[in-house]
Amino acid sequence: MSAGDDGNSAYGRKSFQRSKSHFTDRITADGRDGWPVAAARYRLVVSRACPWASRAVISRRLLGLDAALSLAVADPIQDDRSWRFTLDPDGRDPVLGIGFLSEAYDKRETGYPGGVSVPAIVDVPTGQLVTNDYQQLTLDFATQWTSLHREGAPDLYPERLRDEIDEVMADVYEDVNNGVYRAGFATEQAEYEAACSDVFRRLELLTPRLARQRYLVGDTITEADIRLFTTLVRFDAVYHGHFKCNRWKLTENQVLWAYARDLFQTPGFGDTVDFDHIKRHYHQVHTGINPTRIVPLGPDLSGWLTPHHREELGGRPFGDGTPPGPVRPGEEVPAAGRP
């Protein structure tokens, strides 16, 4: 999720096209791009409002990388200078010493013309951006950072299932993850209707699949579940109303609502979700869609904690592994953001 040169007010006033990641260096076990996996060398910069960044937060927690990869949480309210660290004392990230994420981008490439997006990984010694490749980043967490995984970490991208996981994720990305944005930022009726139809067509195709199995691929949580969850958890709070994806609410689809609650109540998922950040970001930043910047009072979030009964389908959330431990001090979601 990025802040671009045209400013946040441009959202909803011009046709939407998601930018490709410009900085696609990878942090790998062999350091092939010049960035070897190393404990305490890098800092993950996220917004809890952003679904793309939330993937990285969930993956980091499930795999136990929180001890090796520090976390910077940006203010959910961007301005045209990019993601800012106004949640931190003196408005500066305490590790990187910067006020805006754009400063790390500038150290990597002066005058970079694209948007400043999260998630982003910054090299702490040099202060420069390493990667903003939101599609590859979490796959590398699962496959390249294994030497730093916690004991009992799940296999989120099992090799024998990768072809199926990739196929499911591609469809979910096109129609759901990115589809809600294509609908929400559409500037013409036909453009909106096509995107909105794609969202619900894909969700309706996923429903029978998830009616017969607990997780999207195999019998454990994988990267595919993380990517679908980050859209579903935002669906009723922002996509249904703010993005006009309103054929039905998530709570009206018995299967998907139970699936989303199952994941939300799994350690590593719901304990990373901040509904206050989500609602304030979408409604106060996208002034092209919501010029009054009024944040709705609803929806009622208490349902996220109700029984889901998905365990009746079997499955083992962490496979042969174990749940992650408690959230690290200082990384808890504030009470205002919880159900």
Side-chain angles (χ1 to χ4, degrees):
M1 189 176 287
S2 66
D5 293 340
D6 294 330
N8 297 311
S9 61
Y11 289 126
R13 293 198 172 111
K14 63 178 184 178
S15 294
F16 175 73
Q17 185 173 0
R18 184 164 301 283
S19 300
K20 292 183 179 180
S21 299
H22 181 73
F23 301 99
T24 56
D25 286 6
R26 295 174 60 191
I27 301 170
T28 57
D30 62 6
R32 70 193 71 163
D33 288 349
W35 306 105
V37 169
R41 173 171 175 175
Y42 306 102
R43 189 154 174 82
L44 174 64
V45 181
V46 303
S47 164
R48 292 194 188 276
C50 170
W52 319 100
S54 291
R55 295 177 181 179
V57 177
I58 293 169
S59 177
R60 170 183 176 269
R61 177 143 158 65
L62 292 177
L63 296 172
L65 291 173
D66 41 340
L69 177 65
S70 65
L71 184 70
V73 178
D75 190 317
I77 309 303
Q78 296 165 285
D79 64 25
D80 291 347
R81 292 169 294 180
S82 84
W83 296 100
R84 55 191 187 174
F85 296 107
T86 48
L87 301 180
D88 295 302
D90 301 321
R92 305 189 78 79
D93 179 79
V95 174
L96 301 174
I98 57 178
F100 294 89
L101 180 56
S102 58
E103 296 174 57
Y105 276 67
D106 287 342
K107 283 193 175 181
R108 174 66 184 271
E109 182 177 318
T110 303
Y112 161 63
V116 175
S117 64
V118 289
I121 294 185
V122 178
D123 180 48
V124 174
T126 64
Q128 68 174 323
L129 179 77
V130 176
T131 179
N132 66 348
D133 191 348
Y134 63 94
Q135 293 285 56
Q136 185 62 43
L137 191 150
T138 50
L139 299 180
D140 284 342
F141 281 177
T143 60
Q144 297 294 321
W145 290 65
T146 53
S147 64
L148 298 176
H149 286 183
R150 66 178 175 88
E151 184 177 354
D155 187 352
L156 299 176
Y157 195 46
E159 192 165 2
R160 63 184 179 83
L161 297 175
R162 286 180 190 175
D163 287 346
E164 185 178 358
I165 291 172
D166 289 346
E167 181 180 1
V168 170
M169 290 193 306
D171 290 339
V172 167
Y173 169 81
E174 182 63 29
D175 294 337
V176 181
N177 300 149
N178 201 43
V180 292
Y181 283 87
R182 291 189 291 111
F185 293 150
T187 57
E188 297 180 0
Q189 186 70 29
E191 180 186 3
Y192 157 73
E193 290 185 6
C196 188
S197 295
D198 286 344
V199 170
F200 287 95
R201 176 181 57 84
R202 182 59 56 190
L203 292 177
E204 287 161 359
L205 286 171
L206 291 171
T207 297
R209 182 189 189 101
L210 288 168
R212 62 179 181 265
Q213 62 191 59
R214 190 171 180 183
Y215 304 110
L216 279 171
V217 182
D219 67 348
T220 64
I221 291 166
T222 68
E223 176 79 13
D225 297 294
I226 296 172
R227 296 191 182 199
L228 179 57
F229 172 80
T230 57
T231 296
L232 294 183
V233 79
R234 289 162 173 76
F235 204 88
D236 288 4
V238 289
Y239 300 146
H240 180 272
H242 184 62
F243 277 178
K244 306 180 186 69
C245 294
N246 60 359
R247 283 184 50 196
W248 39 262
K249 294 179 180 178
L250 177 65
T251 54
E252 295 168 350
N253 182 308
Q254 183 178 356
V255 171
L256 294 184
W257 175 223
Y259 166 77
R261 296 200 319 276
D262 184 6
L263 291 176
F264 186 87
Q265 294 171 34
T266 299
F269 284 84
D271 51 22
T272 70
V273 173
D274 191 324
F275 284 109
D276 174 63
H277 279 208
I278 290 167
K279 289 173 60 177
R280 287 196 292 123
H281 170 80
Y282 282 88
H283 291 102
Q284 294 190 323
V285 169
H286 301 160
T287 55
I289 300 174
N290 186 35
T292 64
R293 304 181 77 239
I294 292 173
V295 180
L297 291 175
D300 178 8
L301 300 174
S302 60
W304 283 101
L305 301 178
T306 59
H308 52 77
H309 305 295
R310 294 281 294 178
E311 64 276 0
E312 296 171 8
L313 291 171
R316 303 173 301 146
F318 303 101
D320 295 328
T322 58
V327 177
R328 290 175 68 84
E331 295 186 6
E332 301 92 343
V333 172
R338 303 177 205 155

